[in-house]
Amino acid sequence: GLGAVSKMLVRRRAPSLLRSLSGVQRRLISSGKGSEYLTRVKAFMNEHVYPAEDEVMRHQNSASRWTVPKVIEDLKVKAKSEGLWNLWVPADLDPGHKLGVGLSNEEYAALAEEMGAVPFASEVFNCGAPDTGNMEVLLKYGSGEQKEKYLTPLLDGTIRSCFAMTEPAVASSDATNIEASLVREGDSYIVNGHKWWTSGALDPRCKICIVMGKTDTTAAKHKQQSMLLVPMPSEGLEVVRPLTVFGYDDAPHGHAEVRFQNVTVPSSNMILGEGRGFEIAQGRLGPGRIHHCMRLIGMCERALSLHCRRAMSRTAFGGRLSDKGVVRKDIAESRIAIDQARLLVMKAARSIDEGGAKKARREIAIIKAVVPLMAQKVIDSAMQVHGAAGFSQDTPLAYLWSQARWLRMADGPDEVHYETVAKMELKGHEGDAR
Amino acid sequence: GLGAVSKMLVRRRAPSLLRSLSGVQRRLISSGKGSEYLTRVKAFMNEHVYPAEDEVMRHQNSASRWTVPKVIEDLKVKAKSEGLWNLWVPADLDPGHKLGVGLSNEEYAALAEEMGAVPFASEVFNCGAPDTGNMEVLLKYGSGEQKEKYLTPLLDGTIRSCFAMTEPAVASSDATNIEASLVREGDSYIVNGHKWWTSGALDPRCKICIVMGKTDTTAAKHKQQSMLLVPMPSEGLEVVRPLTVFGYDDAPHGHAEVRFQNVTVPSSNMILGEGRGFEIAQGRLGPGRIHHCMRLIGMCERALSLHCRRAMSRTAFGGRLSDKGVVRKDIAESRIAIDQARLLVMKAARSIDEGGAKKARREIAIIKAVVPLMAQKVIDSAMQVHGAAGFSQDTPLAYLWSQARWLRMADGPDEVHYETVAKMELKGHEGDAR
Amino acid sequence: GLGAVSKMLVRRRAPSLLRSLSGVQRRLISSGKGSEYLTRVKAFMNEHVYPAEDEVMRHQNSASRWTVPKVIEDLKVKAKSEGLWNLWVPADLDPGHKLGVGLSNEEYAALAEEMGAVPFASEVFNCGAPDTGNMEVLLKYGSGEQKEKYLTPLLDGTIRSCFAMTEPAVASSDATNIEASLVREGDSYIVNGHKWWTSGALDPRCKICIVMGKTDTTAAKHKQQSMLLVPMPSEGLEVVRPLTVFGYDDAPHGHAEVRFQNVTVPSSNMILGEGRGFEIAQGRLGPGRIHHCMRLIGMCERALSLHCRRAMSRTAFGGRLSDKGVVRKDIAESRIAIDQARLLVMKAARSIDEGGAKKARREIAIIKAVVPLMAQKVIDSAMQVHGAAGFSQDTPLAYLWSQARWLRMADGPDEVHYETVAKMELKGHEGDAR
Amino acid sequence: GLGAVSKMLVRRRAPSLLRSLSGVQRRLISSGKGSEYLTRVKAFMNEHVYPAEDEVMRHQNSASRWTVPKVIEDLKVKAKSEGLWNLWVPADLDPGHKLGVGLSNEEYAALAEEMGAVPFASEVFNCGAPDTGNMEVLLKYGSGEQKEKYLTPLLDGTIRSCFAMTEPAVASSDATNIEASLVREGDSYIVNGHKWWTSGALDPRCKICIVMGKTDTTAAKHKQQSMLLVPMPSEGLEVVRPLTVFGYDDAPHGHAEVRFQNVTVPSSNMILGEGRGFEIAQGRLGPGRIHHCMRLIGMCERALSLHCRRAMSRTAFGGRLSDKGVVRKDIAESRIAIDQARLLVMKAARSIDEGGAKKARREIAIIKAVVPLMAQKVIDSAMQVHGAAGFSQDTPLAYLWSQARWLRMADGPDEVHYETVAKMELKGHEGDAR
Ligand SMILES: Cc1cc2nc3c(=O)[nH]c(=O)nc-3n(C[C@H](O)[C@H](O)[C@H](O)COP(=O)(O)OP(=O)(O)OC[C@H]3O[C@@H](n4cnc5c(N)ncnc54)[C@H](O)[C@@H]3O)c2cc1C
Ligand SMILES: Cc1cc2nc3c(=O)[nH]c(=O)nc-3n(C[C@H](O)[C@H](O)[C@H](O)COP(=O)(O)OP(=O)(O)OC[C@H]3O[C@@H](n4cnc5c(N)ncnc54)[C@H](O)[C@@H]3O)c2cc1C
Ligand SMILES: Cc1cc2nc3c(=O)[nH]c(=O)nc-3n(C[C@H](O)[C@H](O)[C@H](O)COP(=O)(O)OP(=O)(O)OC[C@H]3O[C@@H](n4cnc5c(N)ncnc54)[C@H](O)[C@@H]3O)c2cc1C
Ligand SMILES: Cc1cc2nc3c(=O)[nH]c(=O)nc-3n(C[C@H](O)[C@H](O)[C@H](O)COP(=O)(O)OP(=O)(O)OC[C@H]3O[C@@H](n4cnc5c(N)ncnc54)[C@H](O)[C@@H]3O)c2cc1C
């Protein structure tokens, strides 16, 4: 009984099938290598990822939804064998290109856009969050032992990881509020704390958790927090329940509430050293925000493509929807918003490439404030033209919208990014004001 | 393991517990009767409905979620016994106040606001959609037989009903597009068609479906459609699957895809007569839109209440959230938006009371264009201040938001209401333009 | 050489000519008296005020622009003789209806809307700002002597007045910043200070200025300021120059920069007593804000009327502008925005009538935050449909827009009103937050 | 008597004084030449143009306002002597760099931003509208004779020009509506028509007008219009009156209403040939829109700079304005909006450089829809923080705002640009929709 509806699902195939490299994209990619990988990722998406979408969705609506869908593991094998693996590893962290393929952040950004259009695609290329961020931390700050134990299998895609900072009891956008305690006792750390929104903790493959917590409540404000590696499962570590996001639970990945009660880990699991939590957090966020934002732009392109096709295929009140002025204005506004946002993100990626994440701080704050909000609007307007179908499981739109919405919160709420931008702007005028 | 979180649930109690009748409300309610019922509904909400919220939510997350939660049936009994039953029946359709309690649309609107704050509350008072709309149709246009068979048990709350107009194959906001066929054969009608978004069809208590379809494809455009009563279950009527709205499926009510294959019903099930479908649809929509809009305003008040409390209880970046200028501006904007919208809806309700739904057409279109969009914004900003919690199952906000969003579509998308308003405005200036 | 253009001017006649009392208006006006005066004001506007618009505009573009246009003085005589005079005086300040005609604030609000459509109309009925506010102050707080000397001729319309609070050196939206000094010496006060935006000070008829300044810099913050009557001209009082608002200077009324250098006035010119400045300011603002807001709504109705007519009379890209979806949406949004706002203002007016300006504080803040912003948008979109003509002197739109814009500042900027609303909203939830 | 106010004027000096070439700008300028000229233009602005601003303003408020201010003519001489002259002439139209200095559109765009901050600055470098557009037309399409007679003195800066397309009687955003008639009689064309918004026609130096009108009302729609050179003054050509834009008349440049009654010019004054009007118009608009948009961005940077300084220098309600959350958010939003828009414009400029204006059509439509609206918002929010001062002659903000507003209309209203973008977007999906 899926007639008309399943046709709709079929229609949900790759927008990029139809497009070869656009002028814009060509221009955005400075090196031949970036453009080569973009072509290959596009091809892989069209041949393997889009066609798998229905199967993944079926799995997500089945009883075994909290297990890993086989199709994704198969796709990982294929992607790896084609050398489309760990594409996110930036050339500068990977001198001989032994881990990844040696792309710049700017080059990878264009790939992230392609992957963004399908929710599980990043994982297929071992480019999914939060693993990429966690791998980056280990790559940059991990000890030899830590790398061997956790980075290697993560790069191999045999395990997954999670990152536990946010706590229900405090406003966690201000990381100085984090209260979990990491207490040194002999050769161990004892972890106590209550976390939530630990994404990925419910995934059966998740074997390691980076926990943020206080090692010294008497130190200077930005020296109190540290990051500790906690293997999963561990005694005293309880994954309490999945949280939902607009009714979606993102199984089997999941966003977990997690309790730590006297969880004990070897002291060698401390990353970089006590009190370095903030420093690590800072470093972790730059490229990850580029990835998130470019994936959102990929979602927007998909949404706009669906928007146009639907508008051209439906007739109401005497004409095609695509001939109605308000629908056309929405389409134009979406195109404009996407193009603007992409330029901003590419510029921020280039800034990281040129001067590092710290120097690109303002630009990173800007894209984080701009892109999720933009995506929310673009996808919302694509939903609207779909009528009630737009809210349902028959298009990817409602789910993509939920992603845009929560990305206005994760990695820091809009308000905090506006603050960063304002602060830097005002600083530029100090001395001028009288 | 629900510690901090369940505390949050507790916090989710009645905002109106704290408020007695406000000046505004007092003024809005012209008669003593309206004000009396408002007081009683408030009390019932606080004593019985809010406290039941957790149990209903638990049921909705349990394996038996597609069955009716006992607690709701119990509450119905209690509400009925207290005379808080069928409050929606407008005095003018119910001369001796035999069915309802004889309130005007304006008076009932204030009650709908109270009920709106809890998703299942309207049902408790036998005031839930789509039953109210369907009962109204039967009350106004039903034959004696139709009333006896379907209206009586609906008014009793022993059965429920659904309304099947929308079809996946066509843009259904333009009802002239509806393609289902209702063919007269002897004393029967044969129904064929493919519907979806038939809300309530999945409810085990749902016994009757009003189907819109074409009896005469050669008639004038607005005379082709008719409305037919189809009992449920019926042979050939297949409830295919539930649709989701964002990640919610509204079990056990549900929004169903439904197929009609040669479903045969007695010809006496035709409502009002062939070709009268539009006329009935028109009449059906007025008060229902008031109800929807006032419920949304109730949701907004609840959201704003949660907004304020959360802002006052969290500290970040050196101060309470409620002391931050942008948070305060959001709160002010929400208060302003709600107050404006309520005045509009009350005015529309009064217009219906004074001149009937047809004369109030412009005002009804206006509230339908204003209120859901406003509610979407107000609830979104309440979510934002809650951080990630706002998107989860630990506050009612994400779910309420989804309601606001889809109410921008159901009963006609925003665009169609803007069209109505523009048309009438321009008409007022014909002759002036040169 | 004014051909096509002057036709446009002709078209600029009364929108209300075409409308008799609408249902809304009838409902808004509770008493027969309000409705009677509304009918009379409408008639006077149509017969006398709209037709005078071109002459006033010619005067304003002539060399004698800083003198009073005779046509306005003539209209004043006519309005007075018809009893359409001092309509603003609220019944409760004028027991026997000796000064005005005994309307409530709500009733007068409907008249203010009518007057608002033509910039100089309020003056014709002796209802113009800032005279009304100043008269109200004198009526409420003036001594017998003060009333005789200043209130009487103001009520007669033989002199005009101004109000000097704002200063260039400080953020004057926070009245505690005001720095002008009022020093008592024997039977006199010596005034020193630098003011600007003293509206009306350039008008040759302006004979009295209410100056706000500090009498005691050591008193509690809200007891430092006082209000003093300073006759004009006075020695040491220099009207420095007119300020422009966008490119308009509002001649002959004007917004003046004014310097006070040792200006000496009798001590009996102190209003109410030293340190009472805030108290007076508070009282002054309630009804005045109703007036401003209703005038803006009148401007909006006129703008929307012009919007529709223009849209119906122009053809571009294959169709009438009024048939284009985006134009229609703009029209619908304007209609909706105006209707919402009017309900809010009428409600605020009613609140003042019922409980006084202090109790209506939240509602007054709300309308001040809502209405000018709304008007700015409504008029802007009317301008847009006029093409370049909309910005020019050939329609009233650009000028009306400038009024809406500055009314987002005068009587306090938006931000301050949002603060007031937020504060009161949060206060309502104190105790709830944990 | 200008005390505090004139200090404000002083504060209105070059924002770029304080900034050397920013990273962004360095990156935006690909060639060394672009960057060199940027440095030189910045220096010239700071040394000569900003300091002349008060004098120009005084002239504009004086009785001789409709004459050319000497200070501008002096600055032109200086700029020319320093080789900062005709910088707009794109390298590709000027092979040996004989006319300009051989910059690309992208390189010039960065200069246009600098010039934009001061309304008369473009003229100083002989880069002002509409002369640049008119010179471009002559450069591309003019005959030898036409070039000699009109292009040479325009490039010399000894005469100025105007462009007369828009007509009061028709919606001129749709150029097919233009009704002026150009009738060939022997060796002459006879011009009849009624134009308005002919910018620059009031300037005493204006010697040549390009008139658009119909040569053949029976030709295909886009072949009816032609462009003709009409010397000024000419018999039968009457400059009727200046039009105002929000009260500003832009003296001595001015926006004129112009009548053509049997104006006769030699047939050799026809540009390119009969029926080529559209073709020329198309070509004329690309670079000109880049210029307009980059000047707007310069205005925005100036506005944001003033915004920050004012916020840091004023105190209200217990703190500096720059410490208030809502003010900070406005600042962040302005910074973000400007950065986004600049990237878009620079990309469009690069597209013109790479593939010509026709291929860049979508990008040009996008910037025209984005930038003026953005500028309107950015400048409006700068005005707001200035309090009433922001609307007055004491800051450049109100005037700059008026420019942003009318640039949402000139060169085509927003709506038309949205249409262009939508059309192209939908075209990209033809064939996909079912
Ligand atoms: C789907 C999802 C996945 C996530 N995954 C992870 C994860 O894997 N690991 C992890 O540790 N966390 C994760 N998070 C949590 C996320 O990082 C936090 O939600 C975020 O940091 C905000 O913290 P909070 O929820 O405690 O909100 P709060 O800090 O309580 O902030 C709430 C609100 O306060 C207001 N506010 C805050 N600061 C200011 C200010 N300066 N000015 C004005 N207003 C302000 C804003 O409105 C903000 O939205 C995830 C979140 C989501 C939704
Ligand atoms: C949760 C939920 C419950 C529902 N319950 C019921 C139910 O019980 N029974 C039932 O029959 N239906 C129900 N509906 C369906 C609802 O009534 C329809 O979705 C609605 O009428 C729109 O029809 P459509 O979905 O076919 O959208 P379409 O008609 O395809 O419209 C899609 C879009 O087209 C555009 N559009 C349409 N007209 C114009 C125009 N004139 N100008 C510009 N743009 C235009 C708009 O963007 C609109 O959103 C429900 C819907 C939802 C979401
Ligand atoms: C046309 C016109 C006529 C006028 N007529 C008169 C008159 O007759 N008599 C008279 O005395 N005055 C008059 N005024 C002045 C008017 O009352 C003041 O402009 C107004 O009170 C604001 O004061 P300000 O201009 O000093 O702005 P400021 O006080 O400097 O405020 C500037 C800005 O600061 C910001 N701000 C202020 N407080 C806050 C806050 N709490 N949170 C966040 N942001 C904040 C806002 O953005 C505000 O716009 C007139 C003004 C105009 C434009
Ligand atoms: C300051 C200034 C300087 C100018 N200088 C010059 C000059 O030097 N020479 C010259 O020839 N002209 C000039 N113009 C005129 C300008 O080019 C025109 O104003 C512009 O082209 C619009 O034409 P119009 O004013 O006739 O508006 P109209 O064509 O009447 O358009 C009015 C409105 O109609 C609506 N509209 C139009 N098309 C559509 C559509 N497809 N869909 C939906 N809505 C639509 C829009 O709301 C639009 O704003 C100037 C204008 C200004 C303000």
Side-chain angles (χ1 to χ4, degrees), chain A residues 321 324 384 387-388, chain B residues 163 165-166 171-173 197 199 406 409 413 415:
Chain A
L321 295 182
K324 309 216 173 271
Q384 183 71 8
Chain B
F163 180 73
M165 179 171 82
T166 305
S172 303
S173 59
W197 299 102
S199 298
W406 68 255
M409 184 62 60
E415 288 83 354

Side-chain angles (χ1 to χ4, degrees), chain A residues 1-5 8 166-177 194 196-197 221 238 240-248 257 259 310 314-318 321 326-327 330 376 380-381 383-394 397-399 401-402 405-410 413-416, chain B residues 1-5 8 166-177 194 196-197 221 238 240-248 257 259 310 314-318 321 326-327 330 376 380-381 383-394 397-399 401-402 405-410 413-416:
Chain A
L2 278 162
V5 176
M8 213 174 314
T166 305
E167 301 179 356
V170 296
S172 302
S173 58
D174 180 351
T176 64
N177 281 339
H194 186 189
W196 71 346
W197 299 102
K221 231 181 175 188
E238 182 198 0
V240 180
R241 59 167 180 155
L243 297 160
T244 60
V245 176
F246 293 93
Y248 300 110
E257 183 183 342
R259 278 191 179 281
R310 181 77 173 198
R314 292 265 151 165
T315 296
F317 301 100
L321 295 182
V326 290
V327 172
D330 282 348
Q376 187 181 328
D380 187 273
S381 104
M383 284 197 295
Q384 183 71 8
V385 88
H386 278 78
F391 311 138
S392 78
Q393 67 270 52
D394 284 0
L397 294 168
Y399 180 71
W401 181 91
S402 79
R405 183 61 188 89
W406 67 254
L407 280 163
R408 283 182 53 208
M409 183 62 61
D414 300 354
E415 288 83 353
V416 173
Chain B
L2 278 162
V5 176
M8 214 173 312
T166 305
E167 302 179 355
V170 296
S172 303
S173 59
D174 180 351
T176 65
N177 281 339
H194 185 188
W196 71 345
W197 299 102
K221 233 182 174 186
E238 182 197 359
V240 181
R241 58 167 182 156
L243 297 159
T244 57
V245 176
F246 297 84
Y248 304 107
E257 184 183 343
R259 277 191 180 281
R310 181 79 173 196
R314 292 265 151 163
T315 297
F317 302 100
L321 295 182
V326 290
V327 172
D330 282 348
Q376 189 181 326
D380 187 272
S381 103
M383 284 197 296
Q384 183 71 7
V385 87
H386 279 77
F391 312 137
S392 78
Q393 66 271 52
D394 283 0
L397 294 168
Y399 179 71
W401 182 91
S402 79
R405 182 63 188 88
W406 68 255
L407 279 163
R408 283 182 53 208
M409 184 62 60
D414 300 353
E415 288 83 354
V416 173

Side-chain angles (χ1 to χ4, degrees), chain B residues 161-371:
Chain B
S161 62
C162 61
F163 180 73
M165 179 171 82
T166 305
E167 302 179 355
V170 296
S172 303
S173 59
D174 180 351
T176 65
N177 281 339
I178 296 303
E179 292 176 343
S181 85
L182 312 179
V183 177
R184 177 78 181 245
E185 283 200 6
D187 273 1
S188 302
Y189 279 99
I190 319 289
V191 186
N192 278 285
H194 185 188
K195 300 284 182 180
W196 71 345
W197 299 102
T198 309
S199 298
L202 290 138
D203 192 307
R205 295 162 300 183
C206 185
K207 296 300 173 210
I208 185 68
C209 176
I210 300 183
V211 180
M212 177 129 164
K214 287 195 174 163
T215 34
D216 182 355
T217 57
T218 64
K221 233 182 174 186
H222 289 84
K223 296 288 180 192
Q224 300 185 356
Q225 308 279 357
S226 308
M227 287 202 196
L228 187 69
L229 288 158
V230 177
M232 289 179 71
S234 276
E235 213 187 301
L237 184 167
E238 182 197 359
V239 176
V240 181
R241 58 167 182 156
L243 297 159
T244 57
V245 176
F246 297 84
Y248 304 107
D249 60 14
D250 283 342
H253 187 61
H255 309 285
E257 184 183 343
V258 183
R259 277 191 180 281
F260 297 83
Q261 285 176 297
N262 296 318
V263 180
T264 307
V265 300
S267 63
S268 60
N269 278 16
M270 176 60 62
I271 308 179
L272 203 58
E274 292 195 6
R276 313 287 293 270
F278 265 94
E279 191 182 335
I280 302 173
Q282 220 67 326
R284 189 182 183 274
L285 286 179
R289 284 178 177 159
I290 303 285
H291 305 176
H292 269 320
C293 287
M294 284 309 288
R295 280 194 290 260
L296 282 167
I297 286 178
M299 295 179 206
C300 288
E301 285 288 357
R302 186 171 188 185
L304 179 53
S305 171
L306 291 169
H307 192 154
C308 291
R309 294 186 208 174
R310 181 79 173 196
M312 288 192 285
S313 67
R314 292 265 151 163
T315 297
F317 302 100
R320 286 202 312 174
L321 295 182
S322 58
D323 291 333
K324 310 215 174 271
V326 290
V327 172
R328 295 170 81 84
K329 186 172 180 201
D330 282 348
I331 288 172
E333 287 189 324
S334 289
R335 164 51 56 218
I336 291 170
I338 298 172
D339 279 13
Q340 284 203 81
R342 185 191 286 105
L343 287 170
L344 272 183
V345 184
M346 295 309 274
K347 176 162 164 290
R350 208 157 50 230
S351 292
I352 297 183
D353 286 332
E354 290 173 6
K358 210 170 165 182
K359 284 196 86 172
R361 213 177 131 222
R362 194 183 70 157
E363 285 161 283
I364 294 170
I366 285 180
I367 61 170
K368 199 50 208 356
V370 163
V371 182

Side-chain angles (χ1 to χ4, degrees), chain A residues 151-418:
Chain A
L151 180 57
T152 305
L154 279 169
L155 285 167
D156 274 353
T158 50
I159 67 166
R160 298 207 64 184
S161 61
C162 63
F163 180 73
M165 180 170 82
T166 305
E167 301 179 356
V170 296
S172 302
S173 58
D174 180 351
T176 64
N177 281 339
I178 298 301
E179 291 176 343
S181 85
L182 312 179
V183 176
R184 176 80 182 240
E185 283 199 6
D187 273 0
S188 302
Y189 279 99
I190 319 289
V191 186
N192 278 286
H194 186 189
K195 300 284 183 180
W196 71 346
W197 299 102
T198 308
S199 298
L202 289 139
D203 191 308
R205 296 162 300 183
C206 185
K207 296 301 173 209
I208 185 67
C209 177
I210 301 182
V211 179
M212 178 130 167
K214 287 197 174 161
T215 35
D216 182 356
T217 56
T218 64
K221 231 181 175 188
H222 289 83
K223 295 288 180 193
Q224 300 184 357
Q225 308 279 358
S226 308
M227 286 202 197
L228 187 70
L229 289 158
V230 177
M232 290 179 70
S234 276
E235 212 184 305
L237 185 166
E238 182 198 0
V239 176
V240 180
R241 59 167 180 155
L243 297 160
T244 60
V245 176
F246 293 93
Y248 300 110
D249 59 14
D250 283 341
H253 188 60
H255 308 287
E257 183 183 342
V258 183
R259 278 191 179 281
F260 298 83
Q261 285 176 299
N262 295 318
V263 180
T264 308
V265 301
S267 63
S268 60
N269 278 17
M270 176 60 61
I271 308 179
L272 204 56
E274 292 196 5
R276 313 287 292 271
F278 266 94
E279 192 182 334
I280 303 172
Q282 220 68 326
R284 189 183 184 275
L285 286 178
R289 283 176 179 161
I290 303 286
H291 305 176
H292 268 320
C293 287
M294 285 309 288
R295 281 194 289 260
L296 282 168
I297 286 177
M299 295 179 206
C300 288
E301 286 287 358
R302 185 171 191 186
L304 179 53
S305 170
L306 292 169
H307 192 154
C308 290
R309 295 186 208 174
R310 181 77 173 198
M312 288 192 286
S313 67
R314 292 265 151 165
T315 296
F317 301 100
R320 284 202 313 174
L321 295 182
S322 58
D323 291 334
K324 309 216 173 271
V326 290
V327 172
R328 296 170 81 84
K329 185 173 180 199
D330 282 348
I331 288 172
E333 288 189 324
S334 289
R335 163 53 55 217
I336 291 170
I338 298 172
D339 279 12
Q340 285 204 80
R342 185 191 287 105
L343 288 170
L344 271 183
V345 184
M346 295 309 274
K347 175 161 166 290
R350 209 158 47 233
S351 293
I352 297 183
D353 286 333
E354 288 174 6
K358 210 171 163 181
K359 283 195 86 172
R361 212 177 132 223
R362 193 183 69 155
E363 284 160 285
I364 294 170
I366 285 180
I367 62 170
K368 198 52 207 358
V370 163
V371 181
L373 193 59
M374 175 288 289
Q376 187 181 328
K377 196 166 172 297
V378 164
I379 303 171
D380 187 273
S381 104
M383 284 197 295
Q384 183 71 8
V385 88
H386 278 78
F391 311 138
S392 78
Q393 67 270 52
D394 284 0
T395 80
L397 294 168
Y399 180 71
L400 297 181
W401 181 91
S402 79
Q403 301 253 18
R405 183 61 188 89
W406 67 254
L407 280 163
R408 283 182 53 208
M409 183 62 61
D411 292 359
D414 300 354
E415 288 83 353
V416 173
H417 302 297
Y418 285 123

Side-chain angles (χ1 to χ4, degrees), chain C residues 60 63 65 90 110 121 127 180 239 248 268 287 295 304 311 328 339 363-364:
Chain C
Q60 274 168 355
R65 53 205 306 279
C127 294
V239 176
Y248 304 107
S268 61
R295 281 194 290 258
L304 179 54
R328 295 171 81 83
D339 279 13
E363 285 160 285
I364 293 170

Side-chain angles (χ1 to χ4, degrees), chain C residues 329-372:
Chain C
K329 188 174 177 197
D330 282 348
I331 288 172
E333 288 189 325
S334 288
R335 163 51 57 216
I336 291 170
I338 298 173
D339 279 13
Q340 284 203 81
R342 184 191 287 106
L343 286 170
L344 272 183
V345 184
M346 295 309 273
K347 178 162 163 291
R350 207 157 51 232
S351 292
I352 297 183
D353 286 331
E354 289 173 7
K358 209 172 165 180
K359 283 196 86 173
R361 212 177 132 224
R362 195 184 67 154
E363 285 160 285
I364 293 170
I366 285 181
I367 61 170
K368 199 53 209 350
V370 163
V371 181

Side-chain angles (χ1 to χ4, degrees), chain D residues 144-162:
Chain D
E145 184 200 328
Q146 291 168 354
K147 282 186 183 163
E148 202 195 301
K149 261 181 144 166
Y150 301 115
L151 180 58
T152 304
L154 279 169
L155 284 168
D156 276 352
T158 49
I159 67 166
R160 298 208 65 185
S161 61
C162 62

Side-chain angles (χ1 to χ4, degrees), chain C residues 163 165-166 171-173 197 199 406 409 413 415, chain D residues 321 324 384 387-388:
Chain C
F163 180 73
M165 180 170 82
T166 306
S172 303
S173 59
W197 299 103
S199 299
W406 68 254
M409 183 63 60
E415 290 83 354
Chain D
L321 295 182
K324 309 216 174 270
Q384 183 72 7

